[in-house]
């Protein structure tokens, strides 16, 4: 029997789920008058988050969904440090500089030890900053020559991410798009040349497009620009959007020339939170040389007795993802990144091979360079949107969308293979994809399992 005292104490104890907050409506669009206990608040929100998709089955996103526990520990240790407070957290600034240097060398910048670049919140901020620098340089040059500075333009392929269009709109630059066509979902060099003139601030090229994961002909565009320079004196820089490819190509295809080895490539962005294998919230912008970042865009912060150049759109953010990026650099090294990218590619090629075997689909392109598989339904026999919806019933997130202008009737599905996507998962995905197709084609009858020998069941069970 419980003593009176213990009974009284016991009466006060209530399980988290039996808390009053669970039987009362929670205000959704205004701050409640009174708070609730931390366990209860945690559980309520935690449970609500179960309605989100499962990050491990999210094959839509390029963004990292898994990191090692040691990286997560460092993230929690540094999440309360504001990256911009370099005076208070000088070592964080030092680490950021180390990563900038590591990436500049990875992208084959000319040999030296004080490369110019910055961490950003992602590739979007990095692209905006890179292009802003090119716009500034173009304007300065034109002013010096006494020429008109009111009509800057930017030449890119229709395969660019929406951030390029945002830049053009936000920063008042005309966007000149090199159109796609059926069977070509990257830039065409001749068409690019036709769009360039003296007001072109920069040509943008993508190392791993969002739409199909393909690579623009960067080397060929560079050659065309080098020729243009000697023929017409137009010195047009290239900014390479290596959001996805920047952490893949250097490890898997080190001889592919797309980076600072090319004369006209002056700036590169990469997403740390994509194949840099860091959780969302980190991108990088690297310049080939200090001269390509106009001085009046730089803000100097003094710490540790030396001057630190800062160039960002954003002010406060936590340091955790920069530190996590540094963790990956040390932890994995070049060989570790190479091994992971190789595995991703092998699994992507396996998925592609299995999809190729399915008579209903065709790959958008055969030469897979990045672990991104995009495919469409031959003759639009089945709706890719319906396939995407059916896969979602099994929690797989596989987006369906159509390609930009001139190829807009191409409706495709995209599978982004990341580090956590094993061969086993690939087999499960392919199995579910086949079942989805069968169901959509009406070849599959859904019914409850029967107590019969399997040989007596003629219809496939979904
Ligand atoms: C080619 C490309 N560029 C830029 C971006 C934008 O990157 P972020 O999400 O890091 O801002 C993406 C995102 O998927 C992308 O695929």
């Amino acid at each position: 029997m419980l003593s009176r005292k213990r009974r009284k104490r016991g009466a006060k104890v209530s399980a988290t789920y039996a808390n009053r907050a669970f039987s009362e409506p929670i205000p959704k669009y205004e701050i409640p008058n009174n708070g609730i206990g931390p366990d209860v608040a945690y559980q309520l929100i935690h449970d609500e988050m179960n309605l989100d998709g499962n990050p491990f089955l999210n094959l839509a996103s390029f963004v990292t969904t898994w990191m090692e526990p040691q990286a997560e520990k460092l993230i929690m240790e540094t999440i309360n440090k504001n990256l911009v407070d370099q005076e208070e957290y000088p070592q964080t600034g030092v680490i950021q500089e180390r990563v900038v240097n590591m990436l500049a060398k990875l992208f084959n910048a000319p040999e030296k030890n004080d490369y110019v670049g910055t961490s950003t919140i992602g590739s979007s901020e990095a692209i905006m900053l890179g292009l802003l620098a090119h716009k500034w340089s173009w304007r300065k040059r034109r002013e010096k020559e006494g020429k008109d500075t009111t009509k800057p333009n930017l030449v890119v392929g229709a395969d660019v991410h929406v951030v390029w269009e945002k830049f053009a709109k936000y920063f008042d630059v005309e966007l000149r798009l090199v159109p796609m066509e059926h069977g070509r979902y990257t830039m065409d060099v001749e068409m690019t040349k036709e769009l360039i003139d003296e007001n072109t601030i920069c040509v943008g090229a993508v190392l791993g497009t969002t739409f199909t994961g393909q690579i623009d002909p960067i080397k060929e565009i560079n050659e065309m620009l080098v020729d243009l320079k000697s023929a017409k004196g137009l010195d047009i820089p290239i900014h390479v959007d290596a959001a996805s490819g920047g952490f893949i190509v250097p490890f898997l295809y080190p001889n592919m020339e797309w980076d600072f080895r090319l004369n006209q490539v002056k700036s590169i962005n990469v997403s740390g939170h994509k194949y840099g294998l860091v959780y969302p919230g980190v991108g990088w912008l690297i310049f080939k040389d200090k001269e390509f970042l106009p001085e009046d865009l730089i803000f100097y912060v003094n710490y540790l007795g030396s001057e630190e150049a800062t160039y960002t759109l954003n002010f406060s953010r936590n340091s955790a993802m920069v530190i996590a990026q540094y963790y990956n650099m040390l932890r994995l090294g070049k060989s570790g990144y190479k091994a992971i990218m190789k595995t991703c590619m092998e699994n992507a090629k396996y998925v592609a091979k299995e999809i190729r075997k399915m008579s209903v689909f065709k790959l958008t392109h055969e030469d897979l360079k990045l672990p991104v598989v995009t495919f469409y339904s031959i003759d639009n026999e089945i709706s890719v949107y319906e396939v995407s919806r059916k896969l979602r019933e099994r929690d797989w997130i596989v987006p369906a969308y159509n390609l930009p202008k001139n190829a807009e009737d191409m409706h495709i599905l995209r599978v982004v293979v990341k580090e956590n996507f094993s061969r086993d998962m690939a087999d499960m995905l392919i199995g579910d994809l086949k079942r989805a197709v069968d169901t959509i084609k009406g070849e599959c009858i859904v019914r409850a399992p029967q107590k019969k020998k399997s040989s007596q069941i003629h219809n496939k069970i979904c």
Side-chain angles (χ1 to χ4, degrees):
M1 229 174 110
L2 289 174
S3 68
R4 261 184 68 194
K5 204 171 154 197
R6 281 187 64 198
R7 248 184 285 141
K8 209 172 160 203
R9 207 187 308 136
K12 274 191 192 164
V13 173
S14 70
T16 303
Y17 280 119
N19 192 284
R20 265 187 57 207
F22 277 86
S23 61
E24 286 181 357
I26 297 290
K28 292 188 175 55
Y29 304 110
E30 61 179 310
I31 300 172
N33 289 333
N34 300 307
I36 48 180
D39 289 342
V40 176
Y42 167 82
Q43 204 63 49
L44 274 169
I45 299 168
H46 171 87
D47 291 354
E48 185 168 348
M49 300 320 290
N50 286 330
L51 290 168
D52 272 348
N54 180 344
F56 285 89
L57 301 180
N58 182 359
L59 309 181
S61 176
F62 286 85
V63 172
T64 300
T65 48
W66 178 84
M67 288 192 78
E68 290 179 320
Q70 292 85 345
E72 292 184 344
K73 198 171 164 199
L74 274 173
I75 287 171
M76 288 320 295
E77 284 170 16
T78 51
I79 204 154
N80 59 353
K81 291 187 184 175
N82 192 351
L83 186 64
V84 86
D85 291 343
Q86 300 214 347
E87 208 159 305
E88 288 86 342
Y89 310 121
Q91 205 52 34
T92 302
V94 168
I95 286 177
Q96 177 177 225
E97 272 308 295
R98 287 183 195 160
V99 179
V100 165
N101 276 264
M102 287 176 178
L103 287 172
K105 283 183 183 147
L106 186 69
F107 300 158
N108 293 296
E111 201 56 48
K112 58 180 175 180
N113 262 325
D114 58 340
Y115 296 102
V116 176
T118 183
S119 76
T120 59
I121 198 74
S123 274
S124 300
E125 188 191 0
I127 290 168
M128 300 245 184
L129 289 169
L131 299 182
L132 212 47
H134 293 305
K135 184 182 175 191
W136 233 254
S137 301
W138 166 84
R139 194 169 55 200
K140 276 199 154 174
R141 200 172 57 238
R142 301 277 295 174
E143 276 168 359
K144 226 163 131 188
E145 293 165 355
K147 291 180 178 163
D148 178 34
T149 58
T150 59
K151 296 184 192 69
N153 70 65
L154 172 64
V155 177
V156 293
D159 55 351
V160 287
H161 187 267
V162 67
V163 63
W164 289 78
E165 292 170 44
K166 277 191 192 175
F167 169 81
K169 187 159 270 185
Y170 296 171
F171 295 97
D172 217 7
V173 173
E174 182 199 347
L175 187 70
R176 296 188 175 173
L177 286 178
V178 181
M180 284 184 179
E181 60 188 30
H182 280 284
R184 178 182 56 73
Y185 311 118
T186 52
M187 284 172 100
D188 175 84
V189 184
E190 271 313 302
M191 285 183 182
T192 305
K193 188 177 171 184
E194 281 164 26
L195 294 177
I196 293 169
D197 61 25
E198 58 179 9
N199 288 318
T200 303
I201 61 164
C202 167
V203 170
V206 190
L207 192 79
T209 75
T210 322
F211 294 101
T212 61
Q214 286 173 283
I215 296 174
D216 278 330
I218 304 171
K219 194 171 176 199
E220 291 75 8
I221 291 170
N222 178 70
E223 279 161 15
M224 178 269 287
L225 289 176
V226 168
D227 289 348
L228 203 64
K229 193 159 127 186
S230 55
K232 291 194 181 169
L234 289 180
D235 190 1
I236 315 279
I238 300 175
H239 175 96
V240 179
D241 178 355
S244 299
F247 272 101
I248 299 173
V249 174
F251 301 114
L252 292 186
Y253 322 109
N255 295 328
M256 186 192 287
E257 289 178 62
W258 62 274
D259 52 18
F260 293 128
R261 281 169 287 185
L262 302 178
N263 212 54
Q264 298 306 108
V265 174
K266 311 295 188 194
S267 53
I268 298 175
N269 69 276
V270 64
S271 293
H273 55 216
K274 293 192 174 94
Y275 287 94
L277 308 176
V278 180
Y279 287 142
V282 66
W284 299 93
L285 170 66
I286 313 290
F287 288 95
K288 185 178 216 162
D289 191 274
K290 220 173 165 171
E291 68 173 292
F292 302 110
L293 175 56
E295 189 62 29
D296 47 348
L297 287 178
I298 307 174
F299 289 80
Y300 285 94
V301 181
N302 215 332
Y303 77 99
L304 275 187
S306 69
E307 264 192 327
E308 176 81 21
T310 70
Y311 180 44
T312 53
L313 290 179
N314 202 61
F315 196 69
S316 296
R317 70 186 176 100
N318 72 62
S319 322
M321 300 311 155
V322 168
I323 302 303
Q325 183 77 76
Y326 187 54
Y327 169 85
N328 276 353
M329 301 301 214
L330 297 192
R331 156 81 177 111
L332 298 172
K334 288 180 187 152
S335 61
Y337 267 109
K338 185 175 174 181
I340 291 169
M341 299 313 149
K342 194 163 167 274
T343 304
C344 289
M345 270 317 291
E346 281 168 3
N347 286 336
K349 283 184 177 166
Y350 177 76
V351 170
K353 189 180 89 190
E354 292 302 309
I355 287 171
R356 223 179 267 123
K357 283 188 205 159
M358 296 173 68
S359 55
V360 70
F361 295 122
K362 195 166 172 14
L363 302 178
T364 56
H365 59 288
E366 286 293 333
D367 57 330
L368 231 60
K369 286 277 186 294
L370 265 60
V372 178
V373 185
T374 48
F375 52 104
Y376 60 96
S377 163
I378 300 167
D379 298 330
N380 285 326
E381 191 188 343
I382 56 168
S383 158
V384 289
Y385 302 98
E386 185 66 7
V387 174
S388 174
R389 206 179 56 75
K390 277 264 162 266
L391 287 174
R392 193 66 198 258
E393 287 172 10
R394 289 275 294 156
D395 277 354
W396 295 110
I397 305 175
V398 177
Y401 52 91
N402 66 330
L403 294 181
K405 204 163 158 246
N406 286 6
E408 62 265 73
D409 56 337
M410 282 286 289
H411 299 271
I412 67 175
L413 289 152
R414 185 185 69 196
V415 172
V416 176
V417 173
K418 294 192 285 276
E419 187 185 2
N420 64 295
F421 187 79
S422 62
R423 179 64 60 91
D424 194 35
M425 283 174 78
D427 280 329
M428 289 187 268
L429 173 72
I430 294 296
D432 284 336
L433 185 60
K434 285 178 181 165
R435 273 185 287 277
V437 170
D438 284 350
T439 310
I440 293 165
K441 284 167 92 179
E443 289 172 12
C444 179
I445 294 170
V446 184
R447 59 180 178 166
Q450 299 171 16
K451 280 190 182 150
K452 275 185 182 175
K453 282 191 207 145
S454 60
S455 60
Q456 289 176 275
I457 301 173
H458 300 300
N459 293 314
K460 270 185 269 174
I461 305 291
C462 296

